[in-house]
């Protein structure tokens, strides 16, 4: 696009952005620009039964704006913008003349355009059609143009009515029909002359103010030019300092490189010398060479005394060579594993080279408030919170082979962030740094979190199936349940004269599982006496929740869901449920053939407990959520629909973990 068109669009964009109602005055401009190749946006046809709305891209913010049913036909013409458009059109058409509309062929070049007649004339035709002393002689004429705007601004809502009032609420001209029964009937309006006078006074006052501040503007421009020069000098100085620092690093690397290479060469020479000596020794064992050749010559000695004198020392050397031959061992190692340079940490540090100032403190990740569930919630604290403009949270996956994965970066304005789209059953490292402009602080200490082994299964407690509202108290959100069974027993204590066995009160999740892998987590309150957690099939739940309870039989144990004597016997067989016991701040692992000692079966109760059910493989696992460590797992019969199952006896409480979302983050920040 040429320079003239660039200037044209710059002015148009300025008018759209700087004037209050200028966007609504885009009608004629859109129609004209359409002829140059732009998209034409139209409203709905007058006789159409189904009106359609018109979407128009705002030239300022580039967002789509709904112009309503009338489309651009419902907008005012922006005569000010039309004049600017025409001016640049004339400049673009300077080489192309506008011909007279009334000349006989061949037409002559026009010299005037009549705004009343909407036609262009040459000098002769203008005199003919606008004779002196007639009404037409009073017509308004301008230079040659093709843009003929009307003298009277008409209402876009009532096309036959002239604009004669100004709505102060909507800040736009209206006609008397708009005020009488239109959209502006309840709005405050003023006369067009009053609005003209008021707006002209304001505009003139603003222009006079700007003209009066011309000296101040020039002074500020000079100051900005000085700042630009200072910025350029400081930038060059910063580049020189950066180059100096990197050259120092290069010198250190070259020095270390030379030192390492010298050490490798020295070790290589020493090993080669040892190998060479060993080779020479073994070559002496060959016939006619070295030791063997000398021994053969000694054997030729016939003088017994001389032979004995020489053979004694020779025999020791031969014996030593023979033993060396039997137990061959190289004199040196060929491997240089001890000389492999480990640059992983240095590579990571070099990759983190950035600008930082000692004036910005290092943020500290709050490990107690940071956790991972369906997403990861990272919370940090910055001692100089007000001095940081923003933060950058970095995270990356840690592979088992310790391969360095690239860091992912998220710019954050606050001091907490929810990170989503993390892979299951993986370790992730998180760190954060503070920014003030282009200056950043060093990175915080890394926090390692382990994601759950399966997608998070969202459910609530079921308030209908087997729920005992006399013993259990469920909150309104149905994500927390408390047991109050002990109070009723105390009230009836005076009537109890024989052995009495309390039973478990069961509650399950409101959604069942029929396939796939699922993970959910919850917290057991520390004051809980006895709580059982796990999974159970639908048929087993029917047996537990609807069969009569034998409250006086010591043989029946409701907590295990079956006869107490069968629990150990059927450990290796798959059963349609699995429940573990939690209570008194302990986590009790069920008995197994390899772990029957009490000290091996009782663990401290985790702050949060997770359950992982692999329905397809028929396996359930129990996790310590704080460390994502599996505490216990076993097979379970998943031939029926499986439900999260919970049971409480005595005082106790269970709170389901709330999924981590952006709403969760906002709520906890408010808290």
């Amino acid at each position: 696009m040429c320079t003239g068109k660039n200037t044209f669009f710059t002015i148009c964009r300025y008018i759209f952005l700087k004037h209050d109602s200028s966007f609504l005055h885009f009608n004629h401009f859109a129609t004209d620009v359409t002829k140059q190749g732009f998209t034409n946006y139209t409203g709905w046809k007058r006789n159409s039964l189904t009106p359609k709305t018109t979407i128009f891209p705002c030239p300022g913010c580039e967002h789509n704006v709904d112009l309503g049913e009338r489309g651009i036909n419902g907008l005012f013409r922006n005569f000010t913008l039309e004049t600017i458009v025409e001016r640049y059109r004339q400049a673009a058409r300077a080489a192309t003349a506008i011909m007279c509309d009334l000349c006989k062929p061949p037409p002559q070049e026009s010299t005037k355009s009549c705004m009343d007649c909407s036609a262009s004339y040459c000098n002769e035709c203008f005199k003919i059609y606008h004779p002196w002393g007639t009404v037409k002689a009073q017509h308004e004429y301008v230079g040659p143009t093709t843009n003929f705007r009307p003298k009277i601004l008409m209402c876009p809502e009532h096309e036959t009515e002239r604009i004669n009032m100004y709505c102060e609420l909507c800040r736009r001209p209206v006609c008397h029909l708009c005020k009488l029964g239109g959209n502006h009937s309840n709005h405050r309006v003023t006369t067009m002359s009053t609005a003209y006078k008021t707006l002209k006074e304001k505009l003139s006052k603003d222009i006079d103010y700007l003209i009066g501040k011309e000296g101040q503007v020039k002074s500020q421009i000079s100051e900005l030019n000085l700042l630009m020069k200072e910025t350029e000098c400081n930038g060059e100085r910063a580049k020189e300092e950066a180059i100096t620092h990197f050259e120092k690093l290069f010198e250190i690397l070259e020095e270390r490189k030379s030192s390492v290479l010298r050490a490798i060469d020295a070790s290589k020479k020493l090993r080669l010398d040892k190998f060479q000596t060993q080779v020479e020794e073994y070559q002496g064992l060959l016939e006619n060479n070295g030791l063997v050749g000398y021994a053969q010559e000694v054997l030729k000695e016939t003088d017994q005394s001389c032979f004995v004198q020489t053979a004694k020392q020779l025999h020791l050397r031969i014996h030593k060579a023979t033993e060396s031959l039997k137990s061959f061992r190289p004199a040196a190692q060929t491997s240089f594993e001890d000389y492999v340079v480990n640059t992983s940490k240095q590579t990571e540090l070099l990759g983190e080279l950035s600008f930082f100032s000692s004036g910005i403190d290092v943020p500290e990740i709050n490990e107690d408030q940071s956790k991972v569930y369906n997403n990861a919630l990272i919370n940090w604290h910055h001692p100089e919170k007000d001095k940081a403009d923003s933060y950058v949270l970095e995270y990356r996956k840690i592979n088992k082979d310790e391969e360095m994965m690239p860091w992912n970066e998220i710019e954050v304005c606050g001091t907490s962030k929810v990170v989503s789209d993390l892979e299951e059953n993986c370790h992730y490292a998180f760190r954060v740094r503070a920014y003030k402009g282009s200056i950043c602080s060093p990175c915080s200490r890394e926090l390692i979190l382990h994601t759950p082994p399966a997608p998070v299964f969202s459910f609530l407690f079921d308030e209908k199936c087997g729920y005992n509202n006399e013993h259990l108290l469920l909150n309104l959100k149905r994500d927390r349940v408390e047991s109050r069974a002990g109070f009723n027993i105390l009230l009836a204590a005076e009537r109890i004269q024989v052995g009495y066995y309390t039973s478990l009160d069961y509650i399950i999740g409101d959604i069942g599982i029929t396939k796939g892998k699922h993970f959910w987590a919850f917290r057991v309150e520390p004051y809980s006496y006895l709580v059982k957690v796990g999974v159970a099939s639908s048929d087993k739940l029917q047996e537990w929740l609807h069969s009569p309870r034998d409250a006086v039989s010591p043989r029946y144990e409701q907590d295990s869901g079956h006869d107490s004597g069968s629990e150990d016997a059927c450990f290796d067989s798959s059963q349609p449920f699995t429940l573990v016991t939690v209570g008194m701040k302990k986590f009790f692992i069920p008995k197994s053939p390899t772990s029957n000692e009490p000290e091996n079966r009782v663990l401290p109760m985790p702050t949060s407990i997770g359950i992982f059910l692999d329905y397809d493989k028929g396996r359930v696992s129990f996790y310590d959520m704080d460390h994502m460590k599996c505490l216990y797992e076993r097979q379970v019969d998943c031939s029926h629909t499986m439900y999260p199952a919970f049971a409480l006896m005595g005082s106790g409480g269970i709170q389901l973990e709330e999924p981590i979302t952006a709403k969760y983050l906002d709520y906890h920040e408010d808290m």
Side-chain angles (χ1 to χ4, degrees), residues 2 17 23-24 85 94 116 186 189 281 317 338 360 430 454 456 492 623 644 670:
C2 64
L17 293 177
F23 173 77
L24 298 178
V85 172
D116 296 273
N186 297 324
V189 298
E281 291 178 355
R317 293 175 61 187
D338 296 337
I360 304 181
F430 298 87
V456 170
Y623 280 78
D670 294 339

Side-chain angles (χ1 to χ4, degrees), residues 506-530:
Y506 284 88
I507 188 169
I508 64 174
D510 59 353
I511 302 177
I513 299 173
T514 57
K515 63 179 180 179
K517 299 178 180 180
H518 303 275
F519 183 87
W520 61 93
F522 50 88
R523 299 190 304 273
V524 176
E525 297 297 342
Y527 63 81
S528 301
Y529 172 67
L530 191 153

Side-chain angles (χ1 to χ4, degrees), residues 333-563:
Q333 295 182 354
T334 60
S335 173
F336 280 79
E337 294 180 355
D338 296 337
Y339 289 86
V340 175
V341 180
N342 183 9
T343 61
S344 58
K345 292 183 179 180
Q346 289 75 11
T347 302
E348 183 175 358
L349 290 175
L350 289 174
E352 297 173 359
L353 278 179
S354 182
F355 307 107
F356 82 94
S357 171
S358 58
I360 304 181
D361 292 338
V362 181
E364 299 176 2
I365 295 182
N366 192 327
E367 298 185 8
D368 295 333
Q369 297 182 11
S370 300
K371 62 179 181 177
V372 64
Y373 192 34
N374 59 320
N375 295 317
L377 171 62
I378 309 300
N379 193 298
W380 59 89
H381 169 69
H382 193 206
E384 301 294 337
K385 181 179 180 181
D386 296 335
K387 292 186 177 181
D389 298 332
S390 62
Y391 301 88
V392 171
L393 174 64
E394 298 182 343
Y395 68 96
R396 68 179 178 184
K397 178 182 174 184
I398 302 177
N399 290 339
K400 294 182 179 179
D401 54 1
E402 297 184 356
E403 179 183 356
M404 290 297 179
M405 301 294 291
W407 288 96
N408 301 296
E409 295 186 352
I410 305 176
E411 186 173 357
V412 186
C413 294
T415 56
S416 56
K417 180 64 178 177
V418 173
V419 182
S420 57
D421 300 329
L422 301 179
E423 295 183 22
E424 302 161 5
N425 199 25
C426 294
H427 286 87
Y428 280 86
F430 298 87
R431 67 185 186 185
V432 66
R433 62 178 185 268
Y435 270 86
K436 183 177 177 64
S438 61
I439 308 300
C440 74
S441 70
C443 290
S444 66
R445 184 171 56 88
E446 293 184 10
L447 172 65
I448 308 298
L449 294 178
H450 190 183
T451 56
V456 170
F457 180 60
S458 297
F459 66 92
L460 299 173
F461 289 120
D462 195 335
E463 59 182 351
K464 298 179 180 179
C465 182
Y467 171 63
N468 187 344
N469 57 7
E470 294 182 358
H471 294 174
L472 299 178
L473 177 62
L474 194 61
N475 68 347
L476 295 177
K477 294 175 62 178
R478 293 195 292 124
D479 63 350
R480 179 181 176 83
V481 63
E482 294 182 355
S483 172
R484 53 183 181 182
F487 187 69
N488 293 330
I489 297 176
L490 291 177
L491 291 177
E494 67 274 7
R495 298 196 303 270
I496 300 177
Q497 302 296 333
V498 296
Y500 187 83
Y501 295 88
T502 60
S503 60
L504 288 168
D505 292 296
Y506 284 88
I507 188 169
I508 64 174
D510 59 353
I511 302 177
I513 299 173
T514 57
K515 63 179 180 179
K517 299 178 180 180
H518 303 275
F519 183 87
W520 61 93
F522 50 88
R523 299 190 304 273
V524 176
E525 297 297 342
Y527 63 81
S528 301
Y529 172 67
L530 191 153
V531 176
K532 281 187 172 288
V533 296
V535 295
S537 65
S538 55
D539 61 335
K540 196 64 180 180
L541 288 171
Q542 293 292 330
E543 175 186 341
W544 289 350
L545 301 177
H546 298 288
S547 62
R549 301 180 180 180
D550 183 3
V552 297
S553 171
R555 185 64 180 160
Y556 185 89
E557 286 191 14
Q558 182 94 18
D559 60 338
S560 64
H562 56 284
D563 206 25

Side-chain angles (χ1 to χ4, degrees), residues 46-112:
R46 186 178 300 277
N47 297 326
S48 176
L49 296 177
T50 307
K52 64 178 182 179
T53 59
T54 301
I55 303 300
F56 192 90
C58 174
C61 63
E62 299 182 355
H63 286 79
N64 290 333
V65 179
D66 186 0
L67 298 183
E69 298 176 355
R70 290 178 56 83
I72 60 176
N73 294 323
L75 306 180
F76 287 110
R77 291 182 63 175
N78 191 330
F79 293 141
T80 303
L81 183 58
E82 287 183 22
T83 303
I84 298 175
V85 172
E86 181 60 25
R87 186 184 307 155
Y88 279 90
R89 277 184 171 179
Q90 290 179 4
R93 293 195 301 263
T96 304
I98 298 176
M99 309 309 293
C100 178
D101 294 328
L102 299 176
C103 278
K104 294 180 180 180
Q108 300 295 318
E109 182 178 345
S110 65
T111 58
K112 298 180 179 66

